[in-house]
């Protein structure tokens, strides 16, 4: 039940505009029962990667396999509806406002061909009262709606859950609860979870491993405690310094005050070099090799 992403490239093409290489050679594995957090600033390619995993963005180069089978447009329907389920950023947009939530969850149950489970059982599993099944999405708060979206995803008995910024539209109080819920539900059922977020502190709470993405590439990956306590890539170090402290005085490092460069015209060499305080001559001309830390400072001797 492993999800394997290898040297993935996803390009966006529109007439008269430069090709945007939103994912530019990313490799990542998510094993059964494992939670991998994928972090990075907006525009770094996280969501494009997630959509490619679900077959919603075509793969330009490289491969994505799930349970050993390539994720291709041909395999899209079966895989999207059953094996891999995605929870999106905006729970209101992903639910049909005119249908009762119980009916929407029942759609997933029919997909899984499991007539024994009641939609209300799934609502209970995500911490909501059974009687909510008869209500419509507008009757709920953002956090409750995201729980409903998770219940609907679980109805298809997924073996891999993808959360694409599933907490970023929620109140601070609901964020950790929903993230922890997704982790518990995935791990309890033996499914993997790829949890995409720009919030490193929440990812730290739930992920077994953290992958850090910058401008289409994964620049650091490792066990959560290792990355958190000893970040090695200068970009990871900058992201961690940007996390608000308990006194509310988060310090935004100088290198992160600018925007992520345009993926249609990425910098030569290391993509982070225009923002990196440690940039050397080699960084401006040669891209670091992919690996646990893609940085010339950490090349094996
Ligand atoms: Fe900085 Fe060079 Fe490492 Fe890139 S390769 S992060 S520019 S030190």
């Amino acid at each position: 039940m492993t999800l394997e992403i290898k040297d993935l490239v996803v390009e966006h093409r529109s007439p008269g505009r430069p090709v945007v290489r939103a994912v530019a050679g990313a490799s990542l594995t998510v094993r059964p029962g494992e939670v991998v957090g994928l972090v990075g600033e907006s525009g770094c390619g996280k969501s494009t990667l997630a959509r490619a995993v679900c077959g919603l963005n075509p793969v330009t180069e490289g491969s994505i396999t799930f349970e050993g089978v390539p994720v291709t447009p041909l395999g899209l329907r079966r895989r999207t509806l059953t094996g891999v389920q995605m929870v999106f950023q905006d729970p209101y947009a992903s639910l049909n406002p005119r249908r009762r939530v119980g009916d929407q969850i029942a759609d997933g149950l029919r997909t899984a061909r499991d007539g024994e489970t009641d939609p209300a059982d799934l609502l209970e599993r995500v911490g909501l009262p059974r009687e909510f099944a008869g209500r419509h999405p507008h009757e709920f708060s953002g956090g409750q709606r995201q729980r409903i979206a998770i219940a609907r995803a679980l109805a298809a008995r997924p073996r891999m859950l993808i959360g694409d910024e599933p907490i970023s539209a929620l109140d601070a109080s609901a964020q950790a609860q929903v993230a922890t819920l997704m982790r518990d539900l995935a791990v309890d059922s033996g499914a993997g979870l790829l949890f995409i977020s720009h919030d490193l502190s929440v990812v730290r709470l739930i992920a077994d491993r953290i992958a850090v993405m910058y401008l289409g590439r994964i620049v650091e990956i490792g066990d959560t405690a290792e990355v958190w306590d000893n970040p090695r890539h200068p970009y990871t170090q900058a992201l961690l310094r940007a996390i608000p402290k308990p006194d509310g005085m988060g310090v935004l490092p100088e290198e992160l005050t600018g925007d992520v460069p345009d993926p249609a015209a990425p910098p030569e060499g290391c993509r982070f070099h225009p923002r990196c305080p440690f940039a050397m001559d080699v960084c401006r001309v040669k891209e670091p090799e992919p690996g646990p830390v893609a940085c010339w400072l950490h090349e094996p001797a």
Side-chain angles (χ1 to χ4, degrees), residues 29-139:
T29 301
V30 187
R31 302 178 192 96
E34 182 186 40
V35 179
V36 175
L38 182 61
V39 300
E41 292 163 281
S42 297
C44 73
K46 308 183 298 289
S47 292
T48 302
L49 180 145
R51 291 175 63 82
V53 168
C54 293
L56 301 174
N57 276 333
V59 171
T60 309
E61 289 171 28
S63 63
I64 305 172
T65 55
F66 179 57
E67 298 173 341
V69 179
V71 174
T72 63
L74 276 180
L76 170 67
R77 185 170 169 77
R78 184 189 69 80
R79 211 168 315 286
T80 304
L81 292 180
T82 57
V84 180
Q85 286 288 315
M86 193 153 166
V87 177
F88 295 90
Q89 177 176 348
D90 181 351
Y92 198 62
S94 66
L95 294 168
N96 184 331
R98 288 184 292 278
R99 297 183 67 212
R100 292 182 304 178
V101 300
D103 294 339
Q104 298 189 53
I105 295 170
D107 290 345
L109 292 172
R110 277 191 289 277
T111 303
R113 295 194 177 87
D114 183 344
E116 293 174 29
T117 310
D118 187 326
D121 292 341
L122 279 165
L123 285 175
E124 268 189 340
R125 275 182 73 193
V126 299
L128 295 174
R130 299 178 68 83
E131 55 272 24
F132 280 11
R135 299 188 186 176
H136 290 80
H138 71 268
E139 298 178 67

Side-chain angles (χ1 to χ4, degrees), residues 118-195:
D118 187 326
D121 292 341
L122 279 165
L123 285 175
E124 268 189 340
R125 275 182 73 193
V126 299
L128 295 174
R130 299 178 68 83
E131 55 272 24
F132 280 11
R135 299 188 186 176
H136 290 80
H138 71 268
E139 298 178 67
F140 299 103
S141 68
Q144 288 171 328
R145 281 199 290 263
Q146 198 57 299
R147 285 173 188 265
I148 293 163
I150 293 167
R152 193 183 54 175
L154 290 175
R157 296 190 178 281
R159 299 178 300 286
M160 182 65 57
L161 262 182
I162 313 289
D164 183 14
E165 296 275 6
I167 57 168
S168 59
L170 306 183
D171 294 342
S173 59
Q175 289 187 349
Q177 288 172 6
V178 168
T180 308
L181 175 72
M182 282 189 79
R183 182 204 157 83
D184 292 347
L185 292 169
V187 170
D188 288 353
S189 64
L193 170 60
L194 178 59
F195 189 91

Side-chain angles (χ1 to χ4, degrees), residues 233-234 270 272-273 276 278-280 283 288 295-297:
H233 194 283
C270 171
F272 189 56
H273 88 252
C276 179
F278 308 107
M280 305 169 284
C283 307
C295 171
W296 288 120
L297 290 173

